[in-house]
Amino acid sequence: MSILKVFCCLLLTDQLVGGKRIRADKTGPNVGQSVFRLHSQGASLEDWCTLQVGGSPCAGYNSSHPLIIISHGWSRLTGVNIVVTDWLAQAHQHYPIAVQNTRAPGSPHLGFAGSYFRGSEKLRRITGLDPAGPLFEGMSAMDRLSPDDADFVDAIHTFTHERMGLSVGIKQPVAHQDFYPNGGAFQPGCDFHNIYEHITEYGLLGFEQTVKCAHERSVHLLIDSVLNRDKQSMAYACNGNSAFENGVCLDCRRNRCNRLGYDARPVRLGAAGGKRLYLKTRSQMPYKLYHYQFKVQFTNNQKRITPSLTIALTGTSEESGDLPINFKEEVSGNRTYTFLITLDKDIGDLMMLKLQWQGLALWKNMWGRIQTIMPWGTVPATPQLFIGKVTVKVGETQKRTAFCSMTDDGQHVEESQEKLFVRCQENHQKQRRKNLRVA
């Protein structure tokens, strides 16, 4: 497809409003004022070539390379053609007018632009970076970014937190694959208590940076995926952020996981849309975190307990340090619990796991010692947790490791006690559990 055909299609005189095509008003404000600038490889950022329909082609354009069009919102690649749209004249309006301008001829809103392409000329990919929410949320697919706008549409949602019923970024899925970093509502490092860090880094613009931090995080995540190709963030399909936080969604079978950003694997799931994918990130670049699923089974626990546990993982490369495990309910009977753990480093193949049951508060611990030394009445039995199966799965590699107690005194742990587990074969652990049942 030639570059002229691309921009001729962008300048069609039809627009989409209310799900119907209507004739655009050519005399309306801000129509056709977008400027398309080609950036040549190796040139400075100030050295652009302006593309004009019917004009001479830019010398730096290579028709054999993919074409990437970057469009801003309201308000080190090689071998590609990069075109940046300039529609500030249309965007610097009251928000409802700016939204209307996205539907106007010449608008760089790639969702609407993509709707003009069909069949063999359909756009190969559109990536939405925290697509706008107000006046787009809840609208029909024809009035917003949707999966039928390109062969592959992906969207990164980073600021969907609602205030007075509105959110800056759209919350609903709008793509084949919708990515929700840190749940999508807000982003780490963007709270107002981070304003001092932003002022230190950006000076007087620090306050403004804090306000737009979460919304712009989508852009920085995409940039991160280009600059740090060896640290690609992985996201996982899940029914919702709550289930993801519980660690039950680190599965890559049947396209259930994908890389976030530039190297996302195109997955075509039809015009109806596809999956919501979730991941955790750091508060700054590089944003990648490694995801681990910690699964522990408790057996024969007669007394209801809400333990305060910490675990530490030892790999072939590094150690994780102590990681808190927070229970949202009491542990009793025979049940398996799953938790999500994240690390900012790859510790290698897992070899050992240390589990510690944190003791009671100091005064309660002292009272227990006094009861032991000078007993009166019935001395309460020491609480115990009977542990069955323990596994850890690494999301990025999909490797699952089973752990067995390092000693032969059974897989039980007492309060204020530390217990070591080493990796074991699955059949070894089954035999160990069978022996415990026989005993």
Side-chain angles (χ1 to χ4, degrees), residues 10-25:
L10 288 177
L11 295 172
L12 287 175
T13 57
D14 289 341
Q15 66 176 359
L16 296 174
V17 176
K20 299 180 180 179
R21 291 186 181 273
I22 64 173
R23 182 64 57 184
D25 181 5

Side-chain angles (χ1 to χ4, degrees), residues 356-358 382-385 412-419:
Q356 184 175 15
W357 185 354
Q358 299 292 324
T382 302
Q384 288 186 335
L385 285 173
H412 68 273
V413 61
E414 298 180 357
E415 195 172 33
S416 301
Q417 184 183 25
E418 179 182 291
K419 199 168 191 66

Side-chain angles (χ1 to χ4, degrees), residues 41-180:
Q41 183 177 334
S44 66
L45 292 178
E46 292 76 22
D47 188 9
W48 301 93
C49 174
T50 301
L51 294 166
Q52 296 179 343
V53 176
S56 301
C58 290
Y61 181 75
N62 188 331
S63 60
S64 65
H65 289 166
L67 172 64
I68 296 177
I69 301 178
I70 301 174
S71 175
H72 61 81
W74 185 54
S75 163
R76 285 177 289 200
L77 295 172
T78 59
V80 297
N81 300 297
I82 298 180
V83 172
V84 177
T85 65
D86 180 359
W87 67 295
L88 289 176
Q90 296 161 290
H92 282 178
Q93 307 291 327
H94 293 298
Y95 184 79
I97 298 177
V99 170
Q100 185 178 10
N101 286 338
T102 64
R103 301 181 171 94
S107 164
H109 190 287
L110 298 183
F112 292 107
S115 66
Y116 289 112
F117 293 84
R118 290 292 181 267
S120 61
E121 295 185 342
K122 196 169 187 178
L123 295 181
R124 205 168 81 184
R125 178 180 176 183
I126 295 177
T127 296
L129 300 179
D130 203 31
L135 302 184
F136 291 102
E137 188 85 53
M139 300 296 288
S140 69
M142 298 187 71
D143 285 323
R144 56 167 172 78
L145 181 65
S146 64
D148 57 0
D149 290 329
D151 285 339
F152 176 57
V153 179
D154 58 320
I156 303 174
H157 305 259
T158 55
F159 195 14
T160 64
H161 179 68
E162 290 188 8
R163 291 186 182 275
M164 296 182 292
L166 296 174
S167 62
V168 173
I170 196 168
K171 188 174 183 178
Q172 71 183 91
V174 294
H176 291 109
Q177 293 203 325
D178 291 82
F179 295 81
Y180 295 85

Side-chain angles (χ1 to χ4, degrees), residues 24 44 74 90 97 106 114 116 119 155 167 209 218 229 265 276 280 288 303 305 311 320 333 366 375 386 401 433-434:
S44 66
W74 185 54
Q90 296 161 290
I97 298 177
Y116 289 112
S167 62
Q209 184 63 32
S218 59
R229 307 300 283 271
R265 183 180 65 258
R276 301 186 186 204
K280 291 286 191 179
K288 180 179 178 61
K303 185 178 179 181
I305 303 172
I311 67 168
S320 68
M366 290 178 61
F386 295 90
T401 304
R433 293 200 304 272
K434 180 177 179 181

Side-chain angles (χ1 to χ4, degrees), residues 36 157 309 346 398 416:
F36 300 88
H157 305 259
L309 303 181
D346 180 8
Q398 294 293 287
S416 301

Side-chain angles (χ1 to χ4, degrees), residues 159-283:
F159 195 14
T160 64
H161 179 68
E162 290 188 8
R163 291 186 182 275
M164 296 182 292
L166 296 174
S167 62
V168 173
I170 196 168
K171 188 174 183 178
Q172 71 183 91
V174 294
H176 291 109
Q177 293 203 325
D178 291 82
F179 295 81
Y180 295 85
N182 307 294
F186 205 63
Q187 300 303 310
C190 293
D191 295 290
F192 269 100
H193 67 253
N194 298 112
I195 190 170
Y196 298 108
E197 300 174 17
H198 294 156
I199 291 176
T200 300
E201 184 175 356
Y202 300 101
L204 295 178
L205 297 177
F207 180 79
E208 177 186 349
Q209 184 63 32
T210 303
V211 172
K212 63 184 183 180
C213 173
H215 186 48
E216 286 192 349
R217 181 60 57 84
S218 59
V219 178
H220 295 292
L221 286 168
L222 181 64
I223 294 173
D224 180 53
S225 71
V226 175
L227 296 182
N228 297 295
R229 307 300 283 271
D230 59 332
K231 294 183 178 180
Q232 297 289 308
S233 294
M234 188 68 71
Y236 306 88
C238 204
N239 291 330
N241 188 55
S242 178
F244 179 74
E245 293 273 4
N246 289 333
V248 299
C249 299
L250 299 189
D251 191 359
C252 285
R253 293 174 297 176
R254 299 180 181 178
N255 294 319
R256 290 177 183 161
C257 71
N258 204 347
R259 291 181 292 271
L260 172 76
Y262 183 76
D263 288 322
R265 183 180 65 258
V267 178
R268 297 175 177 85
L269 300 169
K275 297 183 174 69
R276 301 186 186 204
L277 295 95
Y278 296 84
L279 70 156
K280 291 286 191 179
T281 73
R282 285 163 32 93
S283 62

